[in-house]
Amino acid sequence: MFRVLFLMLLVLAALVAGPYLAGQQGYVRIETDTKIIEMSIVTLVLFFAAAMALLYGTEWLVRRFCHLSKGSYDWFFYRKQKRAQQETLEGLMQMSEGNYSKAEKLFSKNAKYANEPIINLIKAAEAAQQRGDDLEANKYLIEASKIGGENNVAVELARAKILVQQGKLPAARTAIDSLLELTSNNTEVLRLAIRIYQDSKAYVALDKILESIGQRSFLPCEEYEALEHFVDDGLLDEVMNEKGQEGLLSWWEGQPSRRRKSVYARVGLIKRLIDSEDHESAQELAFETLKKYEDEQLGNLFEQLTRLQIDEGAKLIKLLVKRMAKADVHYTDDYGRALGYIYAREGDFARAKGYFADLLEHQECIANDRIMALYVAEQVGDTELAEKIRQINLKKVNIAEKVESE
């Protein structure tokens, strides 16, 4: 608009000034090596206006043409983009149906025009991996890295998952370690870290992220508890194998309160101390645990108490007798079983007999209890009790054989 106004003003100025300059307009002389051009000032102004009009007109035509070309380009690009979206959705359907070869082709072909080309390349890599082509899967991930950069969480997460599927645990471990440094609070990264650390038995690494996982609360209580138990068992075995019984006790003293307060971890430690014939340390820890926790919290502690070798008159025996007297009926068998085994191991068969006789009357009595009860009855010479136990055992065997035959 400004250019048209400029041309109109230029022509108007020439028309107004033309008559005034008609008598004294002078002339303009343009001389070259071979040619001389002469014209009046009015003619020069009109020529200049015409030249400007031609220039502006040419510019308008060029811009108009470019606008049409850009419109055509946008139309074709939009068409390709829309087609890419449709075929990407089709690729997802093909992948869910297990047609990985077709899905890979659809994802890779449309990556250039997709809204999120990185996602297309990641999906193409996953499809290639599902059909067993590790080389193609890695190629797609490299392309995705070029687009998203080296520290793209989505690409690195996909890489770690594919490494797990390829069975390359050391490489997957390295990848997940880097991801945790990059984003330690990402739920998907933490989930994958759990899987990789469990598969590679990286108990120390898994223990480090337990607190973070607990604070995020993205795992069900049962699953988180099972994960804690997995770590406790793994660390106890690892330390026991590397440092022995003395090293295990030293390690336990340095553990956080979260683990030292865990009955499961305490029972695990007691079990391993008994396995290493350190009954004295196991007895002390069992006594401390029994004093601190209620019956319903003791879990598998009673099973380990049946394995202990304790001197007569030990504080633990007195505590067991005291707790049994106050315990609910549901837990008296647990205390009675523990006391029966302890007295039997100490050779006090007369006291042990009473506990096993009571235990035989209840459904809580298991095969090992009957074997020990029979041994105790034979040691005290109670043939009637011994015969009763044999009859119970025979009856149990017949029932088991009948069940198997059915």
Side-chain angles (χ1 to χ4, degrees):
M1 186 68 184
F2 174 77
R3 294 171 180 176
V4 175
L5 180 62
F6 174 72
L7 288 174
M8 291 177 64
L9 290 175
L10 190 62
V11 174
L12 181 63
L15 293 174
V16 171
Y20 175 76
L21 296 172
Q24 47 183 351
Q25 60 184 344
Y27 71 97
V28 176
R29 178 185 175 93
I30 301 173
E31 184 174 349
T32 65
D33 290 341
T34 59
K35 196 171 184 179
I36 297 175
I37 301 174
E38 295 181 351
M39 65 181 72
S40 66
I41 293 177
V42 174
T43 303
L44 178 63
V45 171
L46 292 176
F47 175 79
F48 178 74
M52 292 296 293
L54 180 62
L55 179 64
Y56 291 153
T58 304
E59 181 190 9
W60 180 82
L61 288 174
V62 171
R63 289 181 60 193
R64 182 68 176 173
F65 175 77
C66 291
H67 180 74
L68 289 174
S69 299
K70 185 178 182 301
S72 300
Y73 174 80
D74 289 344
W75 183 84
F76 281 110
F77 181 80
Y78 174 75
R79 183 171 178 273
K80 290 179 180 179
Q81 193 177 47
K82 187 175 181 181
R83 183 179 178 183
Q85 292 174 352
Q86 292 174 345
E87 293 193 350
T88 297
L89 290 175
E90 185 183 348
L92 291 172
M93 293 294 294
Q94 293 289 339
M95 196 162 181
S96 64
E97 293 172 4
N99 192 350
Y100 301 115
S101 180
K102 179 67 173 177
E104 178 191 347
K105 183 178 179 181
L106 289 169
F107 288 135
S108 59
K109 182 180 74 171
N110 294 287
K112 182 178 180 181
Y113 296 102
N115 290 335
E116 297 293 342
I118 292 178
I119 295 178
N120 269 58
L121 291 170
I122 289 174
K123 287 296 180 182
E126 291 175 357
Q129 179 57 43
Q130 287 294 335
R131 64 180 183 82
D133 194 336
D134 296 356
L135 189 62
E136 281 296 303
N138 292 332
K139 186 188 79 173
Y140 291 128
L141 288 175
I142 290 171
E143 291 182 25
S145 296
K146 290 178 180 177
I147 298 174
E150 293 183 358
N151 294 327
N152 187 281
V153 174
V155 176
E156 295 307 314
L157 184 59
R159 188 191 308 280
K161 287 180 179 178
I162 287 175
L163 287 170
V164 171
Q165 292 173 358
Q166 293 173 350
K168 300 175 181 177
L169 276 180
R173 170 74 188 277
T174 302
I176 203 65
D177 287 345
S178 301
L179 268 172
L180 285 171
E181 290 181 6
L182 186 63
T183 171
S184 60
N185 294 321
N186 185 293
T187 300
E188 286 302 312
V189 172
L190 288 172
R191 286 185 187 278
L192 185 59
I194 292 171
R195 179 182 174 186
I196 292 173
Y197 290 152
Q198 281 185 311
D199 290 346
S200 58
K201 294 181 172 55
Y203 303 112
V204 175
L206 189 53
D207 190 39
K208 287 180 181 178
I209 65 172
L210 267 178
E211 188 173 349
S212 175
I213 293 172
Q215 291 174 350
R216 296 295 304 280
S217 299
F218 64 86
L219 292 178
C221 292
E222 298 81 4
E223 190 174 343
Y224 181 77
E225 184 179 357
L227 184 62
E228 277 190 315
H229 293 173
F230 174 83
V231 173
D232 289 341
D233 287 333
L235 288 174
L236 287 167
D237 286 336
E238 196 170 75
V239 176
M240 185 68 179
N241 293 334
E242 291 179 1
K243 301 180 180 179
Q245 168 262 338
E246 290 294 338
L248 184 62
L249 288 172
S250 299
W251 172 84
W252 176 257
E253 292 300 321
Q255 291 307 293
S257 59
R258 168 177 59 85
R259 177 163 290 118
R260 290 178 59 83
K261 291 179 180 179
S262 167
V263 176
Y264 184 89
R266 284 171 167 266
V267 172
L269 178 58
I270 291 169
K271 177 182 181 299
R272 287 157 180 84
L273 289 172
I274 295 173
D275 291 342
S276 63
E277 299 297 329
D278 186 0
H279 291 271
E280 184 178 350
S281 299
Q283 177 185 334
E284 291 176 2
L285 185 59
F287 179 79
E288 180 186 325
T289 305
L290 203 60
K291 283 186 65 176
K292 285 185 176 181
Y293 299 94
E294 300 299 324
D295 296 338
E296 60 271 16
Q297 296 176 286
L298 294 176
N300 296 325
L301 176 62
F302 294 107
E303 180 183 348
Q304 300 307 318
L305 291 177
T306 63
R307 302 173 60 213
L308 268 176
Q309 295 177 10
I310 307 175
D311 295 333
E312 187 177 354
K315 293 187 297 182
L316 180 58
I317 295 179
K318 295 177 181 178
L319 181 59
L320 286 170
V321 173
K322 184 179 178 180
R323 288 285 293 263
M324 181 179 179
K326 297 180 179 180
D328 187 87
V329 177
H330 182 68
Y331 298 104
T332 53
D333 281 344
D334 292 324
Y335 285 105
R337 178 183 290 109
L339 287 166
Y341 275 89
I342 289 171
Y343 284 128
R345 283 199 166 84
E346 290 304 309
D348 194 345
F349 300 111
R351 287 187 180 181
K353 174 190 166 184
Y355 291 110
F356 281 112
D358 291 339
L359 197 60
L360 287 168
E361 302 298 326
H362 303 147
Q363 292 183 354
E364 295 292 330
C365 186
I366 59 177
N368 287 341
D369 298 339
R370 293 193 297 273
I371 293 171
M372 181 61 82
L374 179 59
Y375 173 73
V376 170
E378 291 173 345
Q379 293 300 312
V380 298
D382 191 336
T383 55
E384 183 180 346
L385 179 59
E387 183 60 28
K388 179 182 178 181
I389 296 171
R390 291 190 185 95
Q391 292 298 323
I392 293 173
N393 286 338
L394 183 60
K395 184 179 178 181
K396 294 288 185 182
V397 170
N398 291 335
I399 292 173
E401 289 177 350
K402 185 178 179 181
V403 171
E404 288 181 3
S405 63
E406 293 177 353

